[in-house]
């Protein structure tokens, strides 16, 4: 492995060690603050300030959008729904509201999982897409002798969380009504991203009250060509800003056990109301035609993440250089816990595409593809699946 990494990955390892700030300062010098702020404007997509984020993740995000983005017709949920029949046809089952409590082990070898309701599912292979630190909690609950984080990986930390505004609008997204854009928008607080974000993390409400808030705005209804057919005369908006999970520790006990929409204390509600006012103010600044069109606005927080995802971090692990290094990064196969594999964004990169690539990497390993197959024979799971589909079509 070390020889292979040196042969094909040494240049990559050098590049991932650079921060976004390192590269931009080298290219443009200490000045040109506005230009550099524009060039790092998508940093919110991976949630780490330019002085700490690996340039690799920033370059990947920028490259990902150079030819435009894609949106699934019918919304993101159609992706999971499309997979369910294939899973069922292969003899699998899809369960919801069935959190895993711990692994069932024989020594250190996986024999299955135990759910929180006490049910057990026997299997010889467990693939966890829950994220590295959430998986670590399950491993620790299974055995205090096991860990998925090597000493050099203990520095891996969960990334940023978020505040969310889910907004319902009265009116069509099209140019003859609300005239909403299909592209995403990042509204930056100022030219010095590091300084602005550090001040915000220290005292969020000072930034909120000053109207100096980082905001992502997107309109799912404008992106989805099927939306207006299903919900004529209606539109949706999502606004996001970053948030620290520690801001919400004092509200945690009153929020985690209650149902959605009924969680929290009056103080928690007031906390969210401050963000709600700022979100709407920012929305009207960018889209003044929406003033008076908002019919619904629900605010989510890091505690919403905890309730639904069992973690606060929206993007999983943070995107520091150590995460993408050959020694500090996570690998899909946990050889010291036979049968346990990691998948998803924490073994690849943040985001939807990163999560899919993490799954693809893990699938190659579970199915036995090796270096000889991938590099020498040119065979891989994607091409083999394409051949299989083509052969089935011919048989029909």
């Amino acid at each position: 492995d070390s020889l292979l990494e040196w042969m094909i990955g040494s240049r990559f390892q050098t590049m991932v060690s650079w921060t976004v700030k390192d590269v931009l300062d080298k290219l443009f010098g200490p000045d040109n603050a506005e230009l550099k702020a524009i060039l790092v404007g998508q940093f919110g997509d991976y949630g780490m300030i330019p002085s700490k984020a690996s340039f690799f993740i920033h370059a990947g995000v920028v490259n990902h959008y150079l030819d435009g983005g894609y949106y699934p017709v019918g919304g993101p949920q159609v992706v999971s729904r499309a997979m369910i029949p294939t899973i069922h046809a292969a003899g699998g089952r899809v369960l919801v509201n069935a959190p895993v409590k711990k692994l069932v082990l024989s020594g250190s070898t996986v024999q299955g999982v135990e759910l929180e309701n006490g049910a057990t599912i026997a299997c010889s292979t467990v693939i966890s897409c829950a994220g590295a630190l959430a998986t670590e909690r399950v491993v620790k609950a299974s055995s205090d002798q096991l860990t998925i984080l090597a000493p050099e990986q203990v520095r891996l930390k969960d990334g940023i969380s978020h505040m969310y505004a889910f907004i319902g609008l009265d009116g069509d997204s099209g140019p003859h009504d609300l005239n909403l854009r299909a592209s995403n928008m990042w509204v930056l607080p100022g030219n010095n991203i590091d300084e602005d974000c550090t001040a915000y993390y220290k005292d969020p409400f000072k930034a909120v009250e000053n109207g100096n808030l980082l905001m992502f705005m997107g309109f799912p209804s404008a992106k989805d060509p099927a939306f207006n057919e299903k919900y004529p005369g209606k539109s949706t908006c999502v606004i996001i800003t970053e948030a620290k999970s520690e801001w919400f520790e004092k509200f945690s006990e009153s929020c985690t056990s209650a149902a959605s929409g009924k969680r929290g204390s009056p103080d928690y509600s007031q906390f969210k109301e401050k963000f709600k006012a700022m979100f709407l103010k920012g929305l009207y600044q960018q889209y003044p035609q929406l003033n008076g069109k908002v019919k619904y606005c629900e605010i989510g927080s890091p505690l919403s993440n905890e309730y639904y995802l069992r973690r606060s971090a929206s993007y999983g692990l943070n995107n520091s250089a150590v995460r993408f290094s050959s020694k500090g990064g996570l690998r899909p196969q946990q050889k010291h816990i036979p049968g346990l594999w990691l998948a998803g964004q924490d073994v690849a990169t943040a985001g939807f595409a990163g999560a899919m690539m993490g799954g693809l990497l893990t699938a190659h390993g579970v199915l036995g593809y090796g270096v000889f197959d991938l590099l020498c024979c040119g065979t891989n799971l994607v091409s083999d699946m394409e051949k299989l589909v083509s052969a089935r079509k011919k048989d029909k």
Side-chain angles (χ1 to χ4, degrees):
D1 285 358
S2 298
L3 178 61
L4 185 64
E5 286 172 5
W6 177 80
M7 290 174 60
I8 66 175
S10 57
R11 188 177 177 213
F12 172 78
Q13 291 302 319
T14 299
M15 288 190 289
V16 299
S17 68
W18 301 335
T19 69
V20 179
K21 186 176 185 300
D22 289 338
V23 174
L24 293 186
D25 285 349
K26 184 176 180 180
L27 291 173
F28 304 109
D31 300 321
N32 297 304
E34 185 172 3
L35 172 61
K36 289 190 284 189
I38 292 170
L39 291 174
V40 302
Q42 293 168 296
F43 85 98
D45 282 321
Y46 51 83
M48 202 166 192
I49 58 177
S51 63
K52 294 184 178 180
S54 168
F55 180 70
F56 161 70
I57 187 65
H58 184 78
V61 167
V62 172
N63 182 70
H64 178 74
Y65 284 111
L66 285 179
D67 294 322
Y70 295 86
Y71 193 86
V73 176
Q77 66 274 11
V78 301
V79 178
S80 56
R81 289 174 183 168
M83 292 190 293
I84 292 173
T86 301
I87 294 171
H88 284 180
R93 290 293 179 268
V94 177
L95 306 180
V96 295
N97 196 23
V100 171
K101 179 180 180 181
K102 62 182 181 179
L103 301 171
V104 177
L105 300 170
S106 175
S108 61
T109 301
V110 169
Q111 300 291 303
V113 294
E114 180 182 329
L115 305 184
E116 285 192 355
N117 65 5
T120 59
I121 301 174
C123 58
S124 59
T125 301
V126 170
I127 302 172
S128 174
C129 304
L133 300 187
T135 304
E136 177 76 337
R137 290 195 292 269
V138 172
V139 170
K140 288 296 186 184
S142 312
S143 169
D144 57 10
Q145 303 299 313
L146 297 175
T147 178
I148 64 169
L149 298 177
E152 62 269 20
Q153 293 169 334
V154 172
R155 291 179 294 163
L156 296 174
K157 304 294 183 184
D158 264 347
I160 199 72
S161 192
H162 291 89
M163 296 293 295
Y164 312 85
F166 303 100
I167 298 172
L169 300 164
D170 189 15
D172 190 283
S173 300
H176 301 297
D177 197 347
L178 299 182
N179 194 28
L180 305 177
R181 60 191 291 175
S183 54
N184 297 332
M185 175 188 289
W186 278 105
V187 181
L188 303 181
N191 287 342
N192 193 324
I193 303 298
D194 274 77
E195 188 176 287
D196 290 336
C197 286
T198 300
Y200 168 68
Y201 299 151
K202 186 177 181 179
D203 184 357
F205 286 130
K206 185 175 181 181
V208 168
E209 289 163 5
N210 292 339
N212 197 28
L213 192 66
L214 169 75
M215 284 188 288
F216 166 91
M217 291 186 189
F219 299 94
S221 56
K223 299 175 184 180
D224 185 359
F227 187 90
N228 287 337
E229 296 177 12
K230 194 171 184 180
Y231 306 103
K234 304 294 180 183
S235 297
T236 58
C237 173
V238 177
I239 308 179
I240 301 173
T241 194
E242 294 186 346
K244 292 280 190 177
S245 57
E246 50 263 37
W247 298 346
F248 295 85
E249 289 175 352
K250 59 185 176 182
F251 307 128
S252 179
E253 187 175 344
S254 64
C255 292
T256 52
S257 60
S260 177
K262 299 180 181 179
R263 295 193 296 271
S265 62
D267 288 343
Y268 176 58
S269 298
Q270 291 174 11
F271 194 102
K272 293 197 298 180
E273 282 298 314
K274 291 182 180 181
F275 276 92
K276 179 179 178 179
M278 188 61 239
F279 280 138
L280 293 177
K281 179 180 177 181
L283 177 66
Y284 299 147
Q285 285 176 343
Q286 301 300 322
Y287 294 90
Q289 72 271 28
L290 298 183
N291 204 333
K293 298 291 185 178
V294 172
K295 300 301 179 184
Y296 172 88
C297 185
E298 180 73 19
I299 303 298
S301 75
L303 293 175
S304 307
N305 282 3
E306 289 280 1
Y307 185 79
Y308 290 108
L309 302 179
R310 298 294 176 113
R311 68 167 194 260
S312 175
S314 305
Y315 299 146
L317 294 175
N318 69 33
N319 291 282
S320 62
V322 67
R323 174 181 169 183
F324 303 109
S325 67
S326 57
K327 291 184 177 179
L330 291 168
R331 299 185 179 232
Q333 186 177 20
Q334 303 300 296
K335 293 183 179 180
H336 61 295
I337 311 176
L340 178 63
W341 295 73
L342 303 180
Q345 59 186 11
D346 280 357
V347 297
T349 63
F352 198 94
M356 289 194 298
M357 289 308 299
L360 188 63
L361 287 170
T362 302
H364 275 92
V366 171
L367 294 173
Y369 288 85
V371 173
F372 184 79
D373 301 297
L374 300 173
L375 298 183
C376 300
C377 299
T379 59
N380 58 70
L381 178 58
V382 174
S383 62
D384 285 351
M385 289 177 66
E386 289 174 343
K387 291 174 185 176
L388 181 61
V389 170
S390 178
R392 287 182 174 177
K393 286 182 178 178
K394 289 180 180 179
D395 291 340
K396 291 181 179 179

